[in-house]
């Protein structure tokens, strides 16, 4: 009955995120979300996506309960003695059940009907069964109907048309989950564009102005010679990729099956196609692009086949993306949009984004459940920060440089295809070596089977391929640090204890 091992891990992850939901427990905050579709559009600047909104079974935010004529919240009456548990904990418990038992429990009461039809429960069941079998899935309109179609192919079910609404059911958690899955990005979330943009600069200018000072920049015009820019659309990539399977979350899928999902899914966290082996699987894709001239130096290449994962094809629908993270192994990165557009929000290494809670060792990061949730609950506060985030919309044909250590969030504004690569250059080599030899490197290093010995292997390969480079860079770093710590002439003048020259009249 219980698929306990995998699902208990999910419960632990959810518990780490639970405190991030504090805003949704504020009744006044909930009232800001207590609108019909028309109210959402007119009053708060919210608007629902043009496609048919997903089913929310009549769930309303808790703030509406204070305005209701009914004295009862059917959420509580239908749960009986477990009504005192939080919505998150109720869902954690239900997440331990198999699909058959979820279906049976959904007939017990209206409240259990709503909870047991929560789409992420069925999504977990589908993905876990696919992960075990190593097969993908064919999306069937909703995660529940997808699960049923695989479990009982002869039984056809379309949840979106058969679900009914429950009266007087109030839950901030469930309502916000539905709202985040169906909201369009607000205009004020997209209008700020303060990144530096450059076109036609030299490699030396890029290194001096951006790579050495570790500053992001958006580069224009450096993909003009890519065949991918002219050829890569849905029809082309589906044809070229054929039966090749790509990494989509915890499973692998054929590209045409993934697009079937992407066209139908409307959820908080759409699955993202993010594959590090795409060139090996479909060599033709690797022939359609080349590394921009600014990022040609790639020192991890000295490891040959033992190098960590470093390049990915990224495909996803509007609303998909990556929540706040720092790129692996202290590398820098470039991200080129081939089709579509992406909203970027970046914070420097010394500024942790609001709502983001990294563990003390950096091995784990607790973030809001979805990117839209972060924008709803935390984005506004950044406008008053002294160190504001760097933001932009990166469009087809443009490349963004992401310096090492920078926090960044990315969300697709439309169906998008992109290529990204992480790299190590001389400007960042010492940082990467320091990162790889941390005491907890085995938990921090990613993209390679041998996490423990990567530092020694990389350092040895650099010394053999580029003898003297590490010592030379270390000497330069020491000189630079000494220059920065040395007081200027005027600082010494102002310091009366320094023994330097002082004015006397």
């Amino acid at each position: 009955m219980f698929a306990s091992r995998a699902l208990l891990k999910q419960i632990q992850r959810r518990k780490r995120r639970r405190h991030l939901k504090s805003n949704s427990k504020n009744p006044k905050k909930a009232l800001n979300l207590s609108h019909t579709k028309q109210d959402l559009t007119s009053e708060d600047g919210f608007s629902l996506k043009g496609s048919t909104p997903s089913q929310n079974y009549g769930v309303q935010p808790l703030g509406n309960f204070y305005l209701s004529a009914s004295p009862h919240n059917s959420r509580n009456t239908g749960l009986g003695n477990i009504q005192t548990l939080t919505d998150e904990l109720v869902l954690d418990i239900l997440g331990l059940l198999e699909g058959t038992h979820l279906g049976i429990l959904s007939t017990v009461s209206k409240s259990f009907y709503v909870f047991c039809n929560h789409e992420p429960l069925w999504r977990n069941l589908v993905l876990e069964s696919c992960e075990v079998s190593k097969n993908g899935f064919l999306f069937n309109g909703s995660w529940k109907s997808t699960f049923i179609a695989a479990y009982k192919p002869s039984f056809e079910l379309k949840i979106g048309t058969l679900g009914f609404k429950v009266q007087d059911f109030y839950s901030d958690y469930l309502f916000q989950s539905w709202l985040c899955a169906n909201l369009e990005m607000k205009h004020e979330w997209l209008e700020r564009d303060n990144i530096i943009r450059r076109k036609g600069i030299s490699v030396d200018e890029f290194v001096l102005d951006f790579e050495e000072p570790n500053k992001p920049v958006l580069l224009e015009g450096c993909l003009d010679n890519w065949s991918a820019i002219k050829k890569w659309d849905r029809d082309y990539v589906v044809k070229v990729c054929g039966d090749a399977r790509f990494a989509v979350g915890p499973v692998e899928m054929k590209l045409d099956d993934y697009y079937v999902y992407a066209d139908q899914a409307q959820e908080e966290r759409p699955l993202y196609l993010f594959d590090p082996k795409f060139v090996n699987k479909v060599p033709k894709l690797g022939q359609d692009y080349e590394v921009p001239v600014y990022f040609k130096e790639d020192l991890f290449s000295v490891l040959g086949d033992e190098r960590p994962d470093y390049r990915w094809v990224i495909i996803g629908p509007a609303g998909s993306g990556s929540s706040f993270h720092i790129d692996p192994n202290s590398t820098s990165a470039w991200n080129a949009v081939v089709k579509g557009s992406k909203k970027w929000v970046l914070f420097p290494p010394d500024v942790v984004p609001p709502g983001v809670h990294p563990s003390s060792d950096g091995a784990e990061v607790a973030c809001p459940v979805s990117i839209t949730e972060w924008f709803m609950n935390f984005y506004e506060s950044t406008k008053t920060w002294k160190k504001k985030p760097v933001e932009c919309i990166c469009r087809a044909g443009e490349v963004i440089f992401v310096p090492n250590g920078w926090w960044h969030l990315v969300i697709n504004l439309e169906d998008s295809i992109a290529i990204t690569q992480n790299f190590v250059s001389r400007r960042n080599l010492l940082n990467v070596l320091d990162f790889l030899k941390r005491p907890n490197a085995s938990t921090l290093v990613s993209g390679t089977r041998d996490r423990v010995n990567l530092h020694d292997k990389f350092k040895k390969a650099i010394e053999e391929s580029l003898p003297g480079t590490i010592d030379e860079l270390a000497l330069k770093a020491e000189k630079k640090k000494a220059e920065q710590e040395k007081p200027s002439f005027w600082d010494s003048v102002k310091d009366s204890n320094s023994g330097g020259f002082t004015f006397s009249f």
Side-chain angles (χ1 to χ4, degrees):
M1 179 176 178
F2 289 23
S4 57
R5 182 175 298 175
L7 291 176
L8 281 173
K9 291 182 180 179
Q10 294 169 13
I11 287 179
Q12 292 170 353
R13 289 196 295 270
R14 289 187 187 127
K15 286 180 178 177
R16 289 195 295 271
R17 295 173 180 143
R18 190 166 296 146
H19 65 284
L20 300 172
K21 291 286 186 176
S22 57
N23 282 345
S24 65
K25 294 185 175 69
N26 184 338
K28 293 183 179 180
K29 180 70 175 179
L31 285 171
N32 290 333
L33 302 178
S34 59
H35 304 296
T36 63
K37 180 176 179 179
Q38 291 79 10
D39 292 332
L40 284 169
T41 302
S42 61
E43 184 175 329
D44 285 334
F46 292 119
S47 61
L48 298 182
K49 294 176 179 177
S51 56
T52 304
S54 59
Q55 175 65 276
N56 82 331
Y57 305 101
V59 175
Q60 300 178 60
L62 189 57
N64 281 18
F65 186 40
Y66 296 92
L67 306 176
S68 172
S70 172
H72 302 292
N73 182 352
S74 62
R75 179 264 184 209
N76 297 333
T77 56
L79 288 179
N81 291 336
I82 68 171
Q83 64 181 267
T84 57
L85 302 180
T86 64
D87 292 346
E88 299 97 314
L89 187 52
V90 170
L91 291 170
D92 286 343
I93 295 171
L94 295 179
L96 297 172
L97 302 181
E98 296 177 355
T100 302
H101 299 100
L102 273 181
I104 294 172
L105 190 58
S106 69
T107 66
V108 170
S109 69
K110 293 178 180 178
S111 186
F112 274 116
Y113 172 79
V114 173
F115 276 102
C116 291
N117 278 300
H118 190 52
E119 275 285 88
L121 292 175
W122 297 95
R123 166 171 156 149
N124 290 340
L125 289 171
V126 171
L127 295 182
E128 284 167 7
S129 62
C130 292
E131 189 175 9
V132 170
S133 66
K134 301 300 181 183
N135 293 322
F137 61 89
L138 187 60
F139 196 71
N140 191 36
S142 75
W143 286 108
K144 183 175 182 179
S145 60
T146 300
F147 176 85
I148 293 173
Y151 182 78
K152 193 76 171 177
S154 61
F155 188 81
E156 294 186 5
L157 175 65
K158 290 290 184 180
I159 290 297
T161 58
L162 296 183
F164 63 86
K165 292 188 176 182
V166 176
Q167 290 186 339
D168 300 320
F169 189 108
Y170 304 98
S171 165
D172 279 349
Y173 184 89
L174 294 179
F175 181 80
Q176 180 162 281
S177 176
W178 172 85
L179 188 62
C180 289
N182 290 278
L183 273 186
E184 293 279 9
M185 292 287 286
K186 295 175 66 173
H187 174 69
E188 54 261 43
W189 298 345
L190 303 176
E191 62 183 355
R192 190 191 296 173
D193 193 320
N194 58 357
I195 198 170
I196 299 173
R197 293 172 177 265
R198 291 290 183 269
K199 183 175 183 178
I201 62 173
S202 67
V203 174
D204 289 341
E205 288 176 305
F206 167 75
V207 171
L208 181 63
D209 295 340
F210 301 104
E211 193 177 16
E212 286 189 348
N214 214 43
K215 292 168 52 178
V217 62
L218 190 145
L219 300 166
E220 302 172 341
C222 55
L223 308 184
D224 293 346
N225 61 335
W226 279 22
S227 299
I229 295 294
K230 305 177 181 66
K231 296 192 297 186
W232 283 20
D233 56 22
R234 178 183 299 201
D235 292 339
Y236 176 82
V237 293
V238 167
K239 180 180 179 180
V240 168
C241 294
D243 291 331
R245 291 180 175 269
F246 297 92
V248 178
V251 303
E252 290 199 339
M253 301 179 67
K254 293 192 298 183
L255 194 53
D256 53 350
D257 289 344
Y258 175 73
Y259 274 122
V260 169
Y261 158 80
D263 287 341
Q264 300 178 69
Q266 199 150 297
E267 52 184 330
E268 273 195 276
R269 296 170 295 144
L271 292 175
Y272 212 10
L273 191 155
F274 205 90
D275 195 290
K277 308 295 184 184
F278 72 101
V279 174
N280 296 22
K281 296 174 181 178
V282 186
K284 176 60 178 162
L285 295 180
Q287 298 169 11
D288 287 343
Y289 83 97
E290 63 182 52
V291 177
V293 63
Y294 308 105
F295 316 112
K296 292 289 188 181
E297 186 173 57
D298 183 9
L299 298 181
F300 259 145
S301 63
V302 299
L303 289 172
D305 294 338
E306 290 191 273
R307 70 173 302 165
D309 293 338
Y310 70 104
R311 59 183 174 187
W312 294 262
V313 63
I314 312 173
I315 301 176
S320 60
S322 300
S323 56
F324 275 110
H325 64 283
I326 295 173
D327 279 340
N329 306 328
S330 197
T331 55
S332 299
W334 56 269
N335 186 298
V337 178
V338 179
K339 286 288 184 290
S341 58
K342 300 172 181 285
K343 166 72 178 183
W344 285 77
V345 182
L346 305 96
F347 287 88
D350 61 329
V351 179
V352 178
V356 176
H357 301 271
S359 60
S360 58
D361 62 358
E364 293 187 351
V365 178
C367 292
V369 171
S370 68
I371 297 173
T372 302
E373 181 183 349
W374 183 84
F375 275 99
M376 288 177 59
N377 293 338
F378 299 103
Y379 178 76
E380 186 67 24
S381 66
T382 66
K383 294 182 178 180
T384 60
W385 283 27
K386 184 176 181 181
K387 286 189 176 181
K388 295 180 175 60
V390 174
E391 301 181 44
C392 69
I393 293 177
C394 189
R395 297 178 172 81
E398 298 177 338
V399 181
I400 187 170
F401 166 63
V402 183
N404 74 89
W406 277 67
W407 292 95
H408 52 284
L409 167 154
V410 191
I411 183 169
N412 288 322
L413 303 180
E414 54 189 312
D415 291 355
S416 298
I417 305 175
I419 297 289
T420 187
Q421 290 195 188
N422 291 77
F423 68 98
V424 182
S425 69
R426 294 168 195 262
R427 271 68 61 186
N428 192 33
L429 177 60
L430 297 183
N431 288 333
V432 172
L433 288 172
D434 287 343
F435 180 88
L436 297 181
K437 70 177 181 181
R438 289 185 183 182
N440 60 338
S442 61
T443 60
L444 296 178
V445 173
S446 65
T448 180
R449 294 180 179 178
D450 190 356
R451 298 182 176 190
V452 176
N453 300 309
L454 182 61
H455 170 270
D456 294 342
K457 289 180 179 179
F458 184 38
K459 184 177 181 181
K460 180 180 178 181
I462 287 290
E463 289 173 340
E464 290 177 352
S465 302
L466 301 167
T469 297
I470 296 176
D471 292 338
E472 179 184 344
L473 292 174
L475 182 61
K476 287 183 179 180
E478 289 178 5
K479 288 183 178 179
K480 183 177 181 180
K481 183 179 180 180
E483 286 294 324
Q484 291 173 342
E485 293 176 349
K486 180 180 178 181
S488 67
F489 170 77
W490 291 110
D491 287 334
S492 64
V493 167
K494 288 186 292 184
D495 187 356
S496 60
N497 296 321
S498 67
F501 172 81
T502 58
F503 288 105
S504 59
F505 294 96

